[in-house]
């Protein structure tokens, strides 16, 4: 017999009651909704809509690693974040900007797959996700082995289509074209920036189909470790540039270490040589690094 979620988690009942009370206050024009997400989640399911002053609660059917919850912008964007064995709740103190995404990551304590889950917090429109019940379907070893074989077959097929990789593979796959251009730039960082990072150099690559910016960052010896949380790119006129992928060549930068940041975008629509602005945030959201003068 399944027990009602509110009875399994008394704290959840209190939090949802608080959320309902907040909805009745002035300015509570957005509707509060409840929904269920099953892991592994599709991209649209892993998006959680939040709003300033509205409480959002995620409940899980498996125990979480104690103090293993990571949420970007914890200090700058939220007036409260509560963690329990199977529950995470938070209330934003500011509205997220259009296109802004804050990552919320949790790890499960039982060691079964999937080991972790990541949710993207985005600005709510008409509805706020007040309650999200997360159901995890653990995966057996046999199923994982089948998926591994399928992925290996796809990888081998891609190798057959693109040769042995390298520049030859880039040409065969259509990534390296005759209109590619590269330009080195010197990014400008505000003098009072407290991220603890130094920009060593930057290069922008561009074709008619894609654009890529590569920045070499160094964590200063006296700074704390820095791990990338998110990246936003805007034109000189303030128009957002769609970011398709963001990655670094290492999970985090220890004091004194260098690392490469790579940001790939949509097909370039901005003027060749136009200066763009790249904003980086660490996973905690407390040490942003704004870069101007990015060219590609």
């Amino acid at each position: 017999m399944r027990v009602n979620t509110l009875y399994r988690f008394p704290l959840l009942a209190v939090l949802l009651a608080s959320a309902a009370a907040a909805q009745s206050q002035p300015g509570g024009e957005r509707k509060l909704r409840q929904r269920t997400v099953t892991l592994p989640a599709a991209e649209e399911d892993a998006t959680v809509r939040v709003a300033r002053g509205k409480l959002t609660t995620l409940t899980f059917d498996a125990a979480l690693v104690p103090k293993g919850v990571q949420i970007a912008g914890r200090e700058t964007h939220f007036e409260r974040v509560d963690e329990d064995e199977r529950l995470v709740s938070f209330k934003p103190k500011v509205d997220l900007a259009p296109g802004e995404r804050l990552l919320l990551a949790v790890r499960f304590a039982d060691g079964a797959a999937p080991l972790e889950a990541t949710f993207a917090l985005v600005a709510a429109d008409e509805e706020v996700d007040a309650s999200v019940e997360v159901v995890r379907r653990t995966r057996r070893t046999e199923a994982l082995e089948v998926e591994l074989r399928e992925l290996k077959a796809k990888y081998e097929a891609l190798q057959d289509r693109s040769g042995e990789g390298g520049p030859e593979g880039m040409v065969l796959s259509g990534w390296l074209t005759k209109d590619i251009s590269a330009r080195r730039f010197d990014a400008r960082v505000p003098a009072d920036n407290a991220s603890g990072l130094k920009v060593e150099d930057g290069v922008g690559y561009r074709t008619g189909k894609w654009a890529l910016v590569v920045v070499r960052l160094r964590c200063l010896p006296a700074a704390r470790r820095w791990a990338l949380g998110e990246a936003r790119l805007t034109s000189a006129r303030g128009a957002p540039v769609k970011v398709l992928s963001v990655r670094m060549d290492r999970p985090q930068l220890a004091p004194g270490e260098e690392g490469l940041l790579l940001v790939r975008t949509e097909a370039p629509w901005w003027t060749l040589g136009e200066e763009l602005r790249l904003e980086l945030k660490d996973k905690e959201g407390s040490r942003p690094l704004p870069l101007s003068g990015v060219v590609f």
Side-chain angles (χ1 to χ4, degrees), residues 36-101:
T36 300
V37 174
T38 301
L39 300 179
E43 182 176 355
E44 59 272 16
D45 293 334
T47 298
V48 178
R49 300 189 175 277
V50 302
R52 176 173 58 88
K54 304 298 183 182
L55 190 69
T56 293
T57 301
L58 280 69
T59 58
F60 301 85
D61 62 352
L64 305 177
V65 173
K67 298 182 180 180
V69 176
Q70 294 184 339
I71 182 169
R74 182 188 287 261
E75 301 298 331
T76 58
H77 286 67
F78 300 95
E79 63 178 81
R80 59 179 290 189
V81 177
D82 298 313
E83 304 173 24
D84 202 357
E85 183 182 12
R86 300 192 180 194
L87 179 149
V88 178
S89 67
F90 49 84
K91 180 186 289 187
K93 62 183 178 181
V94 296
D95 278 321
L96 272 62
E100 185 177 8
R101 297 164 66 90

Side-chain angles (χ1 to χ4, degrees), residues 27-240:
E29 64 280 356
R30 292 188 177 95
K31 297 180 180 178
L32 302 182
R33 69 172 182 173
Q34 301 181 16
R35 64 189 184 95
T36 300
V37 174
T38 301
L39 300 179
E43 182 176 355
E44 59 272 16
D45 293 334
T47 298
V48 178
R49 300 189 175 277
V50 302
R52 176 173 58 88
K54 304 298 183 182
L55 190 69
T56 293
T57 301
L58 280 69
T59 58
F60 301 85
D61 62 352
L64 305 177
V65 173
K67 298 182 180 180
V69 176
Q70 294 184 339
I71 182 169
R74 182 188 287 261
E75 301 298 331
T76 58
H77 286 67
F78 300 95
E79 63 178 81
R80 59 179 290 189
V81 177
D82 298 313
E83 304 173 24
D84 202 357
E85 183 182 12
R86 300 192 180 194
L87 179 149
V88 178
S89 67
F90 49 84
K91 180 186 289 187
K93 62 183 178 181
V94 296
D95 278 321
L96 272 62
E100 185 177 8
R101 297 164 66 90
L102 299 178
L103 296 183
L104 166 66
V106 300
R107 291 183 60 83
F108 297 101
D110 59 9
L115 292 174
E116 59 185 27
T118 302
F119 302 88
L121 310 184
V122 301
D125 38 29
E126 297 180 355
E127 293 184 322
V128 177
D129 288 326
S131 175
V132 180
E133 184 176 5
V134 182
V135 179
R136 185 177 62 141
R137 291 179 177 174
T138 57
R139 307 169 70 185
R140 296 182 178 274
T141 303
E142 295 81 1
L144 293 173
E145 290 176 345
V146 171
E147 182 176 350
L148 179 60
R149 288 195 295 270
E150 292 175 350
L151 291 174
K152 184 178 179 180
K154 292 180 180 179
Y155 174 72
E156 291 174 349
L158 286 173
Q159 278 190 318
D160 292 338
R161 283 166 39 188
S162 60
E164 295 299 323
E168 300 93 341
M170 293 181 66
V171 172
L172 293 174
S173 62
W175 277 86
L176 189 62
T177 58
K178 64 181 180 180
D179 64 336
I180 189 171
S181 64
R183 180 166 178 173
R184 184 183 180 280
F185 60 83
D186 293 316
R188 299 185 296 274
V189 179
D192 59 349
N193 180 254
S195 65
L197 298 180
K198 179 182 179 183
V199 179
E200 297 292 347
D201 54 56
V203 180
Y205 300 90
R206 166 184 181 133
T207 73
K209 297 181 178 180
W210 55 268
L212 176 71
V213 61
V214 181
V215 180
R216 184 180 300 277
L217 302 172
R218 182 166 64 91
C219 186
L220 298 177
R224 293 182 289 114
R225 290 177 179 269
W226 192 91
L228 177 65
E230 63 174 320
R232 297 177 59 194
L233 194 65
T234 54
S235 71
R237 299 181 297 276

Side-chain angles (χ1 to χ4, degrees), residues 212-215 228 245-249 260-264:
L212 176 71
V213 61
V214 181
V215 180
L228 177 65
S245 69
V246 182
R247 61 178 297 185
M248 290 194 69
D249 62 346
L260 282 179
L261 168 77
L262 299 95
V263 181
R264 181 164 64 91

